[in-house]
Structure formats: structure tokens, C-alpha cells
Amino acid sequence: MTAIDKDDPTKPSAAWPEGFTGLLAGQGCGMCATPDEDDIGWGIRFFAGTYLDAYLWRSGRIRGYTVARWKRPRHVADPTELNEQEAAGFWRELLIVGDILKQHYEPLKLNIALFGNVLPHLHAHVIPRTLDDGGQDEQQVAADTLALRALLAAGETESDVLAQEGTDW
């Protein structure tokens, strides 16, 4: 899906992917095509929120690599398209996902990034970085999914505790 530099086919170009303006409008959006599924091929859902769903990515490169994507009812390409309630809900649920990843993986650093240059559907890459950034296989992804779901079902996250205490973020 990434555009290729015609002079050096091993190097991606800075050009936008073909059909990008249509994707911005939601035409042919792969994330909109799988609105409420636990297994979407590239990932397994462990968090189903009101505003976003979070999936462990099967890439195997970094254990715990998560993609948290905006949920329907409409396609959204950029967080600036959200109203105040949607924006608060999206970011709140993203913090919950981050908290649960921190509890399970105990990373040195949790990275959160929003891009959308290849697939312009609002989504965040949430990456728990550890000393070895060890990979994973399908069995590990399945086990981690169950563990993350159990942690979510068990109780409060750090964000919940801070919110109840009235901590100013």
C-alpha cells in the first residue's frame, strides 16, 4: 500500500498512497470494513470500548504492539474531526488501554503515536517498549489477549484511580 520510489524500488517514496483522498473520506477504509470483530486478521481485540477498540498486532516484532482504532458509526481520519465528547472519550479509552498494557508488560516506556499517512482512519499505535523488545508468536498473542482481558475485567486502572482522586492531568 505504500508508494514506491521509481528510482529505487527498495525505498518508499514520500508520495501519498494511491486513492488516498478517497480513503480520507472513508471509501475503501479497511478499518471501517471490520467494525466489530474480535479477530481481524492482523490483530486480536482485547479492549472493546465505546469510542475505540484495541488489538494486539500479530506482527511479532514487538510483544504487546497494539493498535487502538476509532469505532464506527462514522469514518474519522483525524482527531480534529471529533466533537468534544468524542475526543474526551477517545483519549480516555486510549489511556485505559495504555494503563492495562503497562500493568501486563511492565515496559520501560510506553510509546503512543498517531499517524494515518497510509490508512487515514483515526488510530493509535501503542507500543510497550522493554529492554529486549522481544518478539511473539501466535500462541503468545493469544495468551496475552486473554491476560489483558482478565486485567480489564478485574478492576481499576491507574487512570481510574487518578480520576477518582481528582488529580489534575
Side-chain angles (χ1 to χ4, degrees), residues 137-151:
D137 58 19
E138 185 64 23
Q139 196 172 26
Q140 185 68 61
V141 172
D144 284 351
T145 299
L146 293 175
L148 290 165
R149 288 176 180 167
L151 281 171

Side-chain angles (χ1 to χ4, degrees), residues 25-166:
Q27 299 166 1
C29 175
M31 290 195 184
C32 288
T34 53
D36 194 33
E37 298 178 22
D38 282 334
D39 188 331
I40 54 174
W42 55 262
I44 302 174
R45 179 169 53 186
F46 68 87
F47 177 85
T50 301
Y51 298 96
L52 65 82
D53 286 338
Y55 294 83
L56 281 180
W57 200 351
R58 286 187 162 112
S59 72
R61 294 182 184 163
I62 296 176
R63 186 172 171 219
Y65 195 117
T66 295
V67 175
R69 67 181 192 169
W70 171 256
K71 291 177 88 161
R72 292 166 66 103
R74 72 183 197 286
H75 175 81
V76 171
D78 189 273
T80 61
E81 298 171 23
L82 301 174
N83 65 37
E84 189 173 326
Q85 178 183 349
E86 292 169 334
F90 178 84
W91 289 106
R92 176 84 177 115
E93 290 182 1
L94 188 59
L95 292 176
I96 291 169
V97 167
D99 282 345
I100 213 70
L101 290 170
K102 285 172 69 174
Q103 285 180 39
H104 183 65
Y105 295 105
E106 299 180 349
L108 292 174
K109 173 72 173 81
L110 186 74
N111 291 336
I112 300 175
L114 279 69
F115 300 113
N117 294 337
V118 174
L119 182 57
H121 181 104
L122 178 58
H123 65 285
H125 296 256
V126 188
I127 308 144
R129 301 299 306 267
T130 60
L131 278 176
D132 66 1
D133 279 340
Q136 62 192 7
D137 58 19
E138 185 64 23
Q139 196 172 26
Q140 185 68 61
V141 172
D144 284 351
T145 299
L146 293 175
L148 290 165
R149 288 176 180 167
L151 281 171
L152 283 162
E156 297 177 335
T157 65
E158 183 179 339
S159 296
D160 292 328
V161 172
L162 291 173
Q164 289 172 4
E165 293 173 355

